[in-house]
Amino acid sequence: MEKNTVFYEPGEHKSQGLKYNPFKALIAPRPIGWISTQSVDGVANLGAYSFFNAVSELPPMVMFAAAPDARENMIGHKDSYKNIIDTGEFAVNIVGANLLAAMIKSSETLSPDIDEFAYAGLTKKQAKLISAPLVAEAPAQLECTLYDTIKLPGTDTRDGVMLVLGRVIGIHINEDIISDGLVDNKAFRHASRLGYQHYALVEDIVIP
Ligand SMILES: Cc1cc2nc3c(=O)[nH]c(=O)nc-3n(C[C@H](O)[C@H](O)[C@H](O)COP(=O)(O)O)c2cc1C
């Protein structure tokens, strides 16, 4: 027997009794790209992006989607995006359970002259191939160079989201998350984003 379902077109979820837009709760869990950049003036920036993923293995490439900046009425760009365009570089820091609070704090919308590592109480680790700093407390970090950007369509009130595609040119992995030659996602309880303000942690791994 067919189950009862709700159907709505984008923007109409409340007509079906859904309190908040459930789109992100359906495309879940999403990996979190915790992106570090540096401005041309040398100010370090951090921000989390859950519209993020690996898009190619050989060569390794990642992408994330930067929405327009709330400080500029949704028509300007976020600091991470501006820094990447200016410098051509960024890093992806991997998030475990013990970094969730710092990751959220570092993602607040702050003035571009504030060092978001210091603001979130994090230590900088020097990258080998790029000038943007890495989060020393992260279990792994990817050094990336900008490959391309694509602008997605906007709406009447907001500019389009910018897709950022990056080439991974260097990978750091803490030895304490490597077990028998494999990365153990359970060792650092790899964090990902669900819908709303909900997160998921890797606590159970199955090999079907
Ligand atoms: C878990 C999490 C996921 C986020 N995902 C996104 C995203 O996919 N795209 C986006 O534009 N902003 C996202 N944000 C908000 C950005 O992190 C935030 O706007 C950014 O850090 C602003 O800082 P900046 O202007 O200094 O770059 C997310 C925030 C959190 C906490």
Side-chain angles (χ1 to χ4, degrees), residues 22 39 43-44 53-54 65 67 76 79 107 116 134 148 151 166 170 173 187-188 192:
S39 74
V43 182
N53 221 316
D79 297 331
S107 300
E116 294 177 343
L134 314 177
D148 208 351
K151 187 173 187 176
I173 308 174
F188 58 101
S192 57

Side-chain angles (χ1 to χ4, degrees), residues 27-50:
I27 314 296
R30 293 182 309 291
I32 297 170
W34 193 13
I35 307 292
S36 52
T37 58
Q38 186 165 268
S39 74
V40 283
D41 300 328
V43 182
N45 186 274
L46 269 172
Y49 290 82
S50 71

Side-chain angles (χ1 to χ4, degrees), residues 103-123:
M103 180 272 293
I104 292 167
K105 191 164 166 75
S106 77
S107 300
E108 290 173 22
T109 301
L110 300 170
S111 153
D113 55 353
I114 294 177
D115 180 319
E116 294 177 343
F117 280 70
Y119 180 75
L122 294 159
T123 318

Side-chain angles (χ1 to χ4, degrees), residues 9-136:
E9 295 186 26
E12 304 293 324
H13 54 275
K14 287 196 174 149
S15 70
Q16 298 300 314
L18 293 158
K19 285 196 265 189
Y20 303 104
N21 187 348
F23 177 66
K24 291 194 282 182
L26 299 173
I27 314 296
R30 293 182 309 291
I32 297 170
W34 193 13
I35 307 292
S36 52
T37 58
Q38 186 165 268
S39 74
V40 283
D41 300 328
V43 182
N45 186 274
L46 269 172
Y49 290 82
S50 71
F51 287 123
F52 164 82
N53 221 316
V55 288
S56 160
E57 187 175 12
L58 292 172
M61 300 196 62
V62 293
M63 78 94 211
F64 72 93
D69 195 334
R71 288 171 305 188
E72 298 178 33
N73 291 329
M74 306 312 277
I75 48 163
H77 295 300
K78 296 190 180 190
D79 297 331
S80 333
Y81 179 82
K82 288 183 194 158
N83 291 346
I84 293 168
I85 296 302
D86 289 347
T87 63
E89 297 175 342
F90 65 98
V92 177
N93 303 276
I94 304 301
V95 183
N98 67 339
L99 289 170
L100 268 181
M103 180 272 293
I104 292 167
K105 191 164 166 75
S106 77
S107 300
E108 290 173 22
T109 301
L110 300 170
S111 153
D113 55 353
I114 294 177
D115 180 319
E116 294 177 343
F117 280 70
Y119 180 75
L122 294 159
T123 318
K124 286 180 193 138
K125 168 174 162 177
Q126 189 168 353
K128 288 197 186 295
L129 304 172
I130 62 173
S131 38
L134 314 177
V135 175

